[in-house]
Amino acid sequence: MEARIETLAEKKLIGKYIEMSFTENKTFQLWSGFMPKRKVIRNTVNDNLYSLEVFSNGHFDNFDPNKTFQKWAAVEVQNYEDVPDEMETLLIPDGLYAVFIHYGPASEGHKTYHTIFAEWLPNSKYTVDDRPHFAVMDHKYKKDDPDSEEEIWIPIKNRD
């Protein structure tokens, strides 16, 4: 699996989040609550959707699938001047990311993540950094269509 290494410029997002764990996945509930309201968000940068995970520092040390994190559904905005009711802001700080393309239905995404964390990352010169992880879904994203594509952004830093 190939990675594209990118330095991300800071991004401002507006959306909703839910506390969840890998064993208690509430992604469907999150997106069901977000999608009907996303059009009330003004000054969006583009039509891309962001699915993000904000983990506590050291979340992947002694990994526990029951440990909770924030799961976000969001869009990128130019500024935070008009934040709709029931929405929150999230700032993704600038930093280094490994970017992967997941090809195929969203339901098969776990296979791509497994390859990233079990094969690519251990064999790279990088380790996971404590910044948001996210997927970008643009016009190529078609949910459960076998021709769907989405970008997966993993925050990285050089190994010590």
mmCIF file with all atom_site columns, all heavy atoms in Angstrom, residues 9 22 32 41 55 71 79 96 99 104 109-110 115-116 122:
data_model
loop_
_atom_site.group_PDB
_atom_site.id
_atom_site.type_symbol
_atom_site.label_atom_id
_atom_site.label_alt_id
_atom_site.label_comp_id
_atom_site.label_asym_id
_atom_site.label_entity_id
_atom_site.label_seq_id
_atom_site.pdbx_PDB_ins_code
_atom_site.Cartn_x
_atom_site.Cartn_y
_atom_site.Cartn_z
_atom_site.occupancy
_atom_site.B_iso_or_equiv
_atom_site.pdbx_formal_charge
_atom_site.auth_seq_id
_atom_site.auth_comp_id
_atom_site.auth_asym_id
_atom_site.auth_atom_id
_atom_site.pdbx_PDB_model_num
ATOM 1   N N   . ALA A 1 9   ? -1.993  22.038 6.045  1.00 0.00 ? 9   ALA A N   1
ATOM 2   C CA  . ALA A 1 9   ? -2.191  23.360 6.621  1.00 0.00 ? 9   ALA A CA  1
ATOM 3   C C   . ALA A 1 9   ? -3.401  23.269 7.554  1.00 0.00 ? 9   ALA A C   1
ATOM 4   O O   . ALA A 1 9   ? -4.320  22.479 7.311  1.00 0.00 ? 9   ALA A O   1
ATOM 5   C CB  . ALA A 1 9   ? -2.434  24.380 5.517  1.00 0.00 ? 9   ALA A CB  1
ATOM 6   N N   . PHE A 1 22  ? -14.474 1.665  19.584 1.00 0.00 ? 22  PHE A N   1
ATOM 7   C CA  . PHE A 1 22  ? -14.475 0.762  18.429 1.00 0.00 ? 22  PHE A CA  1
ATOM 8   C C   . PHE A 1 22  ? -15.479 -0.380 18.631 1.00 0.00 ? 22  PHE A C   1
ATOM 9   O O   . PHE A 1 22  ? -16.041 -0.888 17.675 1.00 0.00 ? 22  PHE A O   1
ATOM 10  C CB  . PHE A 1 22  ? -13.071 0.214  18.157 1.00 0.00 ? 22  PHE A CB  1
ATOM 11  C CG  . PHE A 1 22  ? -12.161 1.242  17.547 1.00 0.00 ? 22  PHE A CG  1
ATOM 12  C CD1 . PHE A 1 22  ? -11.104 1.770  18.268 1.00 0.00 ? 22  PHE A CD1 1
ATOM 13  C CD2 . PHE A 1 22  ? -12.364 1.693  16.252 1.00 0.00 ? 22  PHE A CD2 1
ATOM 14  C CE1 . PHE A 1 22  ? -10.262 2.722  17.705 1.00 0.00 ? 22  PHE A CE1 1
ATOM 15  C CE2 . PHE A 1 22  ? -11.529 2.647  15.680 1.00 0.00 ? 22  PHE A CE2 1
ATOM 16  C CZ  . PHE A 1 22  ? -10.471 3.166  16.418 1.00 0.00 ? 22  PHE A CZ  1
ATOM 17  N N   . SER A 1 32  ? -26.406 10.263 10.594 1.00 0.00 ? 32  SER A N   1
ATOM 18  C CA  . SER A 1 32  ? -27.854 10.450 10.449 1.00 0.00 ? 32  SER A CA  1
ATOM 19  C C   . SER A 1 32  ? -28.296 11.767 11.084 1.00 0.00 ? 32  SER A C   1
ATOM 20  O O   . SER A 1 32  ? -29.227 12.408 10.603 1.00 0.00 ? 32  SER A O   1
ATOM 21  C CB  . SER A 1 32  ? -28.623 9.295  11.095 1.00 0.00 ? 32  SER A CB  1
ATOM 22  O OG  . SER A 1 32  ? -28.327 8.095  10.433 1.00 0.00 ? 32  SER A OG  1
ATOM 23  N N   . ILE A 1 41  ? -24.802 25.129 7.428  1.00 0.00 ? 41  ILE A N   1
ATOM 24  C CA  . ILE A 1 41  ? -23.447 25.625 7.679  1.00 0.00 ? 41  ILE A CA  1
ATOM 25  C C   . ILE A 1 41  ? -23.053 26.536 6.520  1.00 0.00 ? 41  ILE A C   1
ATOM 26  O O   . ILE A 1 41  ? -23.058 26.130 5.356  1.00 0.00 ? 41  ILE A O   1
ATOM 27  C CB  . ILE A 1 41  ? -22.438 24.470 7.828  1.00 0.00 ? 41  ILE A CB  1
ATOM 28  C CG1 . ILE A 1 41  ? -22.850 23.543 8.976  1.00 0.00 ? 41  ILE A CG1 1
ATOM 29  C CG2 . ILE A 1 41  ? -21.023 25.017 8.044  1.00 0.00 ? 41  ILE A CG2 1
ATOM 30  C CD1 . ILE A 1 41  ? -22.031 22.269 9.071  1.00 0.00 ? 41  ILE A CD1 1
ATOM 31  N N   . PHE A 1 55  ? -8.611  11.210 19.249 1.00 0.00 ? 55  PHE A N   1
ATOM 32  C CA  . PHE A 1 55  ? -8.227  10.264 20.295 1.00 0.00 ? 55  PHE A CA  1
ATOM 33  C C   . PHE A 1 55  ? -7.485  10.992 21.407 1.00 0.00 ? 55  PHE A C   1
ATOM 34  O O   . PHE A 1 55  ? -6.816  11.995 21.162 1.00 0.00 ? 55  PHE A O   1
ATOM 35  C CB  . PHE A 1 55  ? -7.310  9.173  19.721 1.00 0.00 ? 55  PHE A CB  1
ATOM 36  C CG  . PHE A 1 55  ? -7.926  8.372  18.616 1.00 0.00 ? 55  PHE A CG  1
ATOM 37  C CD1 . PHE A 1 55  ? -7.540  8.558  17.295 1.00 0.00 ? 55  PHE A CD1 1
ATOM 38  C CD2 . PHE A 1 55  ? -8.902  7.418  18.890 1.00 0.00 ? 55  PHE A CD2 1
ATOM 39  C CE1 . PHE A 1 55  ? -8.101  7.809  16.268 1.00 0.00 ? 55  PHE A CE1 1
ATOM 40  C CE2 . PHE A 1 55  ? -9.468  6.661  17.870 1.00 0.00 ? 55  PHE A CE2 1
ATOM 41  C CZ  . PHE A 1 55  ? -9.068  6.864  16.560 1.00 0.00 ? 55  PHE A CZ  1
ATOM 42  N N   . LYS A 1 71  ? -15.895 10.917 17.700 1.00 0.00 ? 71  LYS A N   1
ATOM 43  C CA  . LYS A 1 71  ? -16.087 10.672 16.266 1.00 0.00 ? 71  LYS A CA  1
ATOM 44  C C   . LYS A 1 71  ? -16.863 11.869 15.731 1.00 0.00 ? 71  LYS A C   1
ATOM 45  O O   . LYS A 1 71  ? -17.915 12.222 16.262 1.00 0.00 ? 71  LYS A O   1
ATOM 46  C CB  . LYS A 1 71  ? -16.871 9.374  16.052 1.00 0.00 ? 71  LYS A CB  1
ATOM 47  C CG  . LYS A 1 71  ? -17.185 9.068  14.603 1.00 0.00 ? 71  LYS A CG  1
ATOM 48  C CD  . LYS A 1 71  ? -15.979 8.514  13.886 1.00 0.00 ? 71  LYS A CD  1
ATOM 49  C CE  . LYS A 1 71  ? -16.376 7.951  12.543 1.00 0.00 ? 71  LYS A CE  1
ATOM 50  N NZ  . LYS A 1 71  ? -15.319 7.131  11.970 1.00 0.00 ? 71  LYS A NZ  1
ATOM 51  N N   . ASN A 1 79  ? -14.125 30.258 8.215  1.00 0.00 ? 79  ASN A N   1
ATOM 52  C CA  . ASN A 1 79  ? -13.968 30.848 9.537  1.00 0.00 ? 79  ASN A CA  1
ATOM 53  C C   . ASN A 1 79  ? -15.108 30.364 10.436 1.00 0.00 ? 79  ASN A C   1
ATOM 54  O O   . ASN A 1 79  ? -15.991 29.639 9.983  1.00 0.00 ? 79  ASN A O   1
ATOM 55  C CB  . ASN A 1 79  ? -13.937 32.377 9.461  1.00 0.00 ? 79  ASN A CB  1
ATOM 56  C CG  . ASN A 1 79  ? -15.174 32.923 8.775  1.00 0.00 ? 79  ASN A CG  1
ATOM 57  O OD1 . ASN A 1 79  ? -16.302 32.621 9.158  1.00 0.00 ? 79  ASN A OD1 1
ATOM 58  N ND2 . ASN A 1 79  ? -14.972 33.725 7.745  1.00 0.00 ? 79  ASN A ND2 1
ATOM 59  N N   . LEU A 1 96  ? 2.235   16.827 9.762  1.00 0.00 ? 96  LEU A N   1
ATOM 60  C CA  . LEU A 1 96  ? 2.553   15.800 8.782  1.00 0.00 ? 96  LEU A CA  1
ATOM 61  C C   . LEU A 1 96  ? 1.505   14.685 8.813  1.00 0.00 ? 96  LEU A C   1
ATOM 62  O O   . LEU A 1 96  ? 1.095   14.236 9.883  1.00 0.00 ? 96  LEU A O   1
ATOM 63  C CB  . LEU A 1 96  ? 3.937   15.222 9.104  1.00 0.00 ? 96  LEU A CB  1
ATOM 64  C CG  . LEU A 1 96  ? 4.696   14.532 7.988  1.00 0.00 ? 96  LEU A CG  1
ATOM 65  C CD1 . LEU A 1 96  ? 4.959   15.480 6.816  1.00 0.00 ? 96  LEU A CD1 1
ATOM 66  C CD2 . LEU A 1 96  ? 6.020   14.005 8.537  1.00 0.00 ? 96  LEU A CD2 1
ATOM 67  N N   . VAL A 1 99  ? -1.213  9.880  3.724  1.00 0.00 ? 99  VAL A N   1
ATOM 68  C CA  . VAL A 1 99  ? -2.519  9.861  3.060  1.00 0.00 ? 99  VAL A CA  1
ATOM 69  C C   . VAL A 1 99  ? -2.630  8.598  2.214  1.00 0.00 ? 99  VAL A C   1
ATOM 70  O O   . VAL A 1 99  ? -1.740  8.296  1.408  1.00 0.00 ? 99  VAL A O   1
ATOM 71  C CB  . VAL A 1 99  ? -2.707  11.110 2.165  1.00 0.00 ? 99  VAL A CB  1
ATOM 72  C CG1 . VAL A 1 99  ? -4.097  11.140 1.565  1.00 0.00 ? 99  VAL A CG1 1
ATOM 73  C CG2 . VAL A 1 99  ? -2.424  12.391 2.954  1.00 0.00 ? 99  VAL A CG2 1
ATOM 74  N N   . GLY A 1 104 ? -13.259 1.084  -2.774 1.00 0.00 ? 104 GLY A N   1
ATOM 75  C CA  . GLY A 1 104 ? -14.296 0.102  -2.500 1.00 0.00 ? 104 GLY A CA  1
ATOM 76  C C   . GLY A 1 104 ? -15.306 0.610  -1.497 1.00 0.00 ? 104 GLY A C   1
ATOM 77  O O   . GLY A 1 104 ? -15.247 1.755  -1.049 1.00 0.00 ? 104 GLY A O   1
ATOM 78  N N   . GLY A 1 109 ? -13.690 -0.626 4.725  1.00 0.00 ? 109 GLY A N   1
ATOM 79  C CA  . GLY A 1 109 ? -12.634 0.285  5.164  1.00 0.00 ? 109 GLY A CA  1
ATOM 80  C C   . GLY A 1 109 ? -11.722 -0.289 6.226  1.00 0.00 ? 109 GLY A C   1
ATOM 81  O O   . GLY A 1 109 ? -10.532 0.021  6.272  1.00 0.00 ? 109 GLY A O   1
ATOM 82  N N   . HIS A 1 110 ? -12.272 -1.149 7.089  1.00 0.00 ? 110 HIS A N   1
ATOM 83  C CA  . HIS A 1 110 ? -11.457 -1.747 8.155  1.00 0.00 ? 110 HIS A CA  1
ATOM 84  C C   . HIS A 1 110 ? -10.257 -2.490 7.590  1.00 0.00 ? 110 HIS A C   1
ATOM 85  O O   . HIS A 1 110 ? -9.195  -2.558 8.229  1.00 0.00 ? 110 HIS A O   1
ATOM 86  C CB  . HIS A 1 110 ? -12.299 -2.662 9.040  1.00 0.00 ? 110 HIS A CB  1
ATOM 87  C CG  . HIS A 1 110 ? -12.870 -3.841 8.323  1.00 0.00 ? 110 HIS A CG  1
ATOM 88  N ND1 . HIS A 1 110 ? -12.255 -5.064 8.324  1.00 0.00 ? 110 HIS A ND1 1
ATOM 89  C CD2 . HIS A 1 110 ? -13.991 -3.973 7.556  1.00 0.00 ? 110 HIS A CD2 1
ATOM 90  C CE1 . HIS A 1 110 ? -12.962 -5.910 7.587  1.00 0.00 ? 110 HIS A CE1 1
ATOM 91  N NE2 . HIS A 1 110 ? -14.029 -5.277 7.115  1.00 0.00 ? 110 HIS A NE2 1
ATOM 92  N N   . THR A 1 115 ? -4.285  -2.676 7.101  1.00 0.00 ? 115 THR A N   1
ATOM 93  C CA  . THR A 1 115 ? -3.048  -2.639 6.323  1.00 0.00 ? 115 THR A CA  1
ATOM 94  C C   . THR A 1 115 ? -2.175  -1.454 6.743  1.00 0.00 ? 115 THR A C   1
ATOM 95  O O   . THR A 1 115 ? -0.954  -1.589 6.881  1.00 0.00 ? 115 THR A O   1
ATOM 96  C CB  . THR A 1 115 ? -3.353  -2.576 4.815  1.00 0.00 ? 115 THR A CB  1
ATOM 97  O OG1 . THR A 1 115 ? -4.149  -3.718 4.463  1.00 0.00 ? 115 THR A OG1 1
ATOM 98  C CG2 . THR A 1 115 ? -2.088  -2.554 3.976  1.00 0.00 ? 115 THR A CG2 1
ATOM 99  N N   . ILE A 1 116 ? -2.803  -0.301 6.956  1.00 0.00 ? 116 ILE A N   1
ATOM 100 C CA  . ILE A 1 116 ? -2.049  0.896  7.372  1.00 0.00 ? 116 ILE A CA  1
ATOM 101 C C   . ILE A 1 116 ? -1.346  0.649  8.699  1.00 0.00 ? 116 ILE A C   1
ATOM 102 O O   . ILE A 1 116 ? -0.137  0.859  8.832  1.00 0.00 ? 116 ILE A O   1
ATOM 103 C CB  . ILE A 1 116 ? -2.985  2.124  7.483  1.00 0.00 ? 116 ILE A CB  1
ATOM 104 C CG1 . ILE A 1 116 ? -3.509  2.540  6.105  1.00 0.00 ? 116 ILE A CG1 1
ATOM 105 C CG2 . ILE A 1 116 ? -2.259  3.293  8.167  1.00 0.00 ? 116 ILE A CG2 1
ATOM 106 C CD1 . ILE A 1 116 ? -4.675  3.530  6.145  1.00 0.00 ? 116 ILE A CD1 1
ATOM 107 N N   . PRO A 1 122 ? 4.332   0.091  10.776 1.00 0.00 ? 122 PRO A N   1
ATOM 108 C CA  . PRO A 1 122 ? 5.500   -0.530 11.426 1.00 0.00 ? 122 PRO A CA  1
ATOM 109 C C   . PRO A 1 122 ? 6.732   -0.604 10.521 1.00 0.00 ? 122 PRO A C   1
ATOM 110 O O   . PRO A 1 122 ? 7.858   -0.677 11.011 1.00 0.00 ? 122 PRO A O   1
ATOM 111 C CB  . PRO A 1 122 ? 5.026   -1.947 11.773 1.00 0.00 ? 122 PRO A CB  1
ATOM 112 C CG  . PRO A 1 122 ? 3.540   -1.892 11.732 1.00 0.00 ? 122 PRO A CG  1
ATOM 113 C CD  . PRO A 1 122 ? 3.180   -0.817 10.755 1.00 0.00 ? 122 PRO A CD  1
#
